[in-house]
Amino acid sequence: MGEHSVTSGGPLRTEPDGSVIISLWGSVGPERAAELRQLVVRTVRHVRPYRLVFDLTDADTIDPINVGTLAAACTLGDDHEVPVFVDNPEPDLADRLCAAGVPPQNLRYVSRR
């Protein structure tokens, strides 16, 4: 499969309203865990966007470690008053995210194409 960045289109994208979109793509496995964790912490603590959105439209799979990172991002966002949303998870992934602690209201199904 080869090495690839955890995100597509660069590490993040800032929208005109101040939201930061992190688009995950492909298979997000344990070899990308540190990269994703660092990106989340840096974005929430230092960028402090209006909102942080993980777009999973192009994510094939996300391993349990990274599911935990997305759940932790919601908690970290709450601590820093940055709303965190997870867009377009597959149904089974949505179930795993909720089981890991992502509040159901933070899961959204929107088209970004």
Side-chain angles (χ1 to χ4, degrees):
M1 174 166 269
E3 285 290 311
H4 68 273
S5 173
V6 75
T7 64
S8 64
L12 47 88
R13 181 177 82 244
T14 303
E15 296 290 304
D17 70 357
S19 296
V20 168
I21 311 297
I22 298 175
S23 297
L24 302 181
W25 68 282
S27 178
V28 184
E31 70 282 353
R32 303 282 57 144
E35 178 188 359
L36 181 59
R37 187 174 50 252
Q38 290 168 356
L39 183 60
V40 166
V41 170
R42 184 174 57 247
T43 302
V44 171
R45 288 187 176 166
H46 300 290
V47 176
R48 297 189 53 99
Y50 173 70
R51 136 183 350 111
L52 176 59
V53 178
F54 293 96
D55 183 3
L56 306 185
T57 302
D58 296 319
D60 297 328
T61 60
I62 299 179
D63 78 307
I65 292 171
N66 289 305
V67 166
T69 297
L70 297 180
C74 293
T75 302
L76 183 65
D78 286 346
D79 291 347
H80 291 274
E81 299 180 358
V82 174
V84 175
F85 295 96
V86 179
D87 287 359
N88 303 317
E90 292 292 328
D92 64 319
L93 179 55
D95 291 342
R96 290 191 300 134
L97 288 164
C98 287
V102 174
Q105 65 269 20
N106 291 45
L107 301 176
R108 305 184 308 175
Y109 300 90
V110 297
S111 174
R112 294 212 178 272
R113 294 181 185 203

